[in-house]
Amino acid sequence: MSKNAEGLAAQIKAIAGGAPVRVGLILGSGLGHIADAVDGTAIPYGDLPGFPHAGVSGHNPDLVIGDLEGVRVAVFGGRSHYYEHGKADAMRLPLEVLRALGAEVMIATNAAGSMRPDMPTGSIMCLSDHINFSGLNPLIGEPTDARFVPMMDAYDPQIRASLRAAADATGTDMADGVYAWYSGPSFETPAEIKAIATLGADAVGMSTVPEVILARFLGLKSAAISTITNMAAGMGDEAISHEHTKAMAPIGAAKLETVLRQFLRDLK
Ligand code: HPA
């Protein structure tokens, strides 16, 4: 854990209270409203030196610490993506801070394109595993042997089972599937989508994978849920654009929020 992260955690505790955080949530495109539901303190990323300037429209850059369904959470209202600056480890400091705040669990959310006809726009998908289609890694340059992180069960089986139970209890349709990380910022070509689907991925997006690698490195259990905002390139007639992603995210986001709230109620 870096000194910087310890210092930021102390600063955050002084503002938001010192009770340990249990769960960290990273919000993807169009999911920012979940932060508004937290009863707590919002700290702009700009007040936290070293935090990314989450400049992608659709992301709201506050860290919100407080209570959601009776569980103390840290909600990251924005993430940094590799495509913004070419740094795969841009979320390392925020995740180190999450660990220093006492969290044991990180749940990432994202918007993604679907390669599965039975998982159309508006669906949600609980990640069972991922394919790093980018060749990048947030731990390149990490000097210690801790960099050799095992990625078996990277998406924690127990947390996935709890998310599944929460979906079932609330009557929410949630698929299971493999997510492929594509660097972006351009979207994929139809030929790339065909290749990614052939390799075994069910959905594709531009985030989450580096965060899950970092979370495992830091000893955080991780899970992730995608909201499907479009059929991937060549798989449907939808126009694929960031505008479309933001417009479609709320459909899945409502389901995602239902599942997350039930998950937290069960955790309490
Ligand atoms: N590809 C990559 N990222 C995405 C997509 C997509 O089709 N939809 C939303 N994020």
Side-chain angles (χ1 to χ4, degrees):
M1 191 76 56
S2 68
K3 274 222 162 64
N4 202 1
E6 299 285 0
L8 283 171
Q11 178 189 337
I12 290 164
K13 284 182 190 167
I15 299 168
V21 164
R22 292 185 66 194
V23 176
L25 291 174
I26 302 181
L27 302 184
S29 297
L31 299 167
H33 66 280
I34 293 177
D36 303 335
V38 177
D39 180 12
T41 309
I43 306 171
Y45 281 15
D47 292 354
L48 301 168
F51 263 52
H53 300 283
V56 183
S57 55
H59 293 261
N60 165 30
D62 274 339
L63 171 62
V64 183
I65 310 273
D67 185 281
L68 187 59
E69 300 292 351
V71 176
R72 191 155 169 87
V73 295
V75 180
F76 295 82
R79 59 155 55 90
S80 195
H81 305 80
Y82 171 78
Y83 62 72
E84 290 171 61
H85 34 56
K87 294 191 196 95
D89 66 347
M91 288 300 286
R92 179 162 173 164
L93 180 65
L95 289 170
E96 284 181 349
V97 168
L98 178 63
R99 193 78 178 103
L101 290 170
E104 288 164 12
V105 176
M106 177 210 70
I107 300 181
T109 65
N110 61 56
S114 169
M115 270 87 79
R116 259 181 28 205
D118 68 338
M119 200 168 67
T121 299
S123 308
I124 59 173
M125 182 186 92
C126 187
L127 275 64
S128 56
D129 205 343
H130 73 227
I131 295 174
N132 184 347
F133 197 68
S134 72
L136 304 161
N137 198 294
L139 295 174
I140 290 173
E142 162 62 35
T144 67
D145 276 359
R147 64 189 163 190
F148 300 112
V149 176
M151 293 298 287
M152 285 292 297
D153 289 333
Y155 298 82
D156 187 82
Q158 265 181 345
I159 297 175
R160 281 172 52 210
S162 301
L163 289 167
R164 169 64 48 209
D168 290 349
T170 53
T172 311
D173 252 347
M174 182 172 74
D176 259 311
V178 174
Y179 174 94
W181 178 29
Y182 184 81
S183 78
S186 62
F187 285 98
E188 306 76 24
T189 64
E192 285 165 342
I193 289 301
K194 219 172 174 179
I196 298 171
T198 303
L199 290 174
D202 300 291
V204 62
M206 302 177 191
S207 68
T208 301
V209 167
E211 293 152 16
V212 169
I213 294 170
L214 286 166
R216 298 304 303 129
F217 171 69
L218 294 167
L220 287 157
K221 290 181 185 169
S222 45
I225 302 178
S226 295
T227 59
I228 301 301
T229 55
N230 56 280
M231 294 309 291
M235 304 281 309
D237 317 324
E238 272 162 307
I240 299 175
S241 70
H242 188 55
E243 285 311 310
H244 185 76
T245 295
K246 284 191 292 180
M248 293 299 130
I251 309 173
K255 297 179 190 170
L256 197 153
E257 182 171 348
T258 301
V259 173
L260 277 179
R261 281 180 179 274
Q262 183 65 36
F263 169 82
L264 292 171
R265 280 197 291 276
D266 293 343
L267 197 67
K268 184 177 70 170

